[in-house]
Structures are given as structure tokens and as C-alpha cells.
Amino acid sequence: MSYLREIMVRLRERSGASDSGHEPLAVPYSPLTERVLEEHLQTYRERLQACSDAMLPYEWAWLEDHLATLQLSSGQQAMQNVLGGPQRVADLLRETRCFQAEVRGELSRRGLEPGNRTAPLAAQEHAWELSNPAIRQEWGIEPADPLPG
């Protein structure tokens, strides 16, 4: 799913690229059409619905971090290039904002609030992918909570 995860990988590669002198591989780009966006949103909704209540604030905080990274990228040509160009960054911003609306809706349906970040995040793991037991514990995500997807 995650173009967001891909962003973090590419940014990490880029930061390592200057040390090694090698340029990262180009990110293949295909425009985010309405149909593709709706497919991504449908998958995302299903994963959110399968999350426990404790997983949703984590996902909210995770998206906030990724949105901040994308916003930073949108103002810097080099970062845009790493991510596939200005249109790709704009598409990722749009998709991330849609994902945030989905999380907000799911939180509301459950009578929950996004809240403030209370613990660290795993940069490349959505709530349903979170594998670090210490981070899961800090967010109140029980080991028995399902990992959908």
C-alpha cells in the first residue's frame, strides 16, 4: 500500500546516497487517478476498521509525521526529485490527506479523539504493521490486537 513507506525508504536512501556517492534508483511514477485513489482508500478503510481502538491514535500520529515530511518535500526540488517529481509529491499529499480524513472518521465513529503523540513511532510501519513490542506497549496496543492486512 504504502507510498508513504516508500517515501521514507527513498529519503533514507537519498541521505545515504550523498555519503556513498551513488544516486538512488528513480521512483517509477504513475498518476494518482480517481479510480486508483478510491482503491487505495477502500483498502485503507478496511485496515482501519480492523484496527483496535489503541491502534488508531498511533496511525493518526504516524500520518501526521508523513504529512510533515511530504510538506517539507514539496518545497525542496531535490526531495521532490527523489520522490518522483512535483506531481508525485502533490499526489502523495492528496492521498495522505484523504487517509487522515479516514482515520478522523473512524476515530469519530468509535467516539475517540486523535490526541497528541504519546510515544515513539516506527517510521515505516502503519499501526497494523507495528512489530516493535516496546512501541506497541507504549501506545497501549496489546500483543493480542490483530494486525489486519
Side-chain angles (χ1 to χ4, degrees):
M1 130 102 121
S2 192
Y3 291 121
L4 298 175
R5 185 180 321 110
E6 183 179 88
I7 289 168
M8 296 310 294
V9 169
R10 297 295 179 203
L11 290 174
R12 188 170 302 127
E13 287 174 356
R14 180 66 175 178
S15 66
S18 61
D19 296 337
S20 68
H22 295 85
E23 286 299 314
L25 298 174
V27 177
Y29 174 69
S30 56
L32 184 65
T33 63
E34 290 302 317
R35 183 185 60 76
V36 171
L37 177 59
E38 187 50 44
E39 288 172 4
H40 291 182
L41 287 171
Q42 183 58 40
T43 300
Y44 194 77
R45 280 182 209 111
E46 291 168 4
R47 288 184 175 156
L48 287 178
Q49 290 167 359
C51 284
S52 68
D53 288 356
M55 294 168 98
L56 293 175
Y58 173 91
E59 185 67 11
W60 177 264
W62 191 87
L63 281 173
E64 282 185 326
D65 270 13
H66 284 284
L67 184 59
T69 299
L70 287 169
Q71 289 169 333
L72 176 65
S73 299
S74 71
Q76 298 185 20
Q77 185 64 41
M79 291 176 80
Q80 286 178 4
N81 292 343
V82 169
L83 297 173
Q87 185 58 52
R88 175 79 184 263
V89 172
D91 286 349
L92 292 170
L93 278 164
R94 180 175 166 224
E95 183 177 60
T96 302
R97 289 180 179 123
C98 289
F99 289 165
Q100 273 193 315
E102 293 297 328
V103 175
R104 188 178 295 114
E106 189 63 28
L107 285 163
S108 178
R109 279 187 284 287
R110 296 185 193 195
L112 303 171
E113 294 288 325
N116 294 322
R117 175 189 266 178
T118 60
L121 300 169
Q124 294 188 22
E125 294 181 325
H126 287 278
W128 51 87
E129 299 169 327
L130 188 55
S131 60
N132 183 311
I135 295 175
R136 287 178 69 91
Q137 183 178 14
E138 287 190 54
W139 281 92
I141 301 171
E142 297 297 322
D145 284 347
L147 295 174

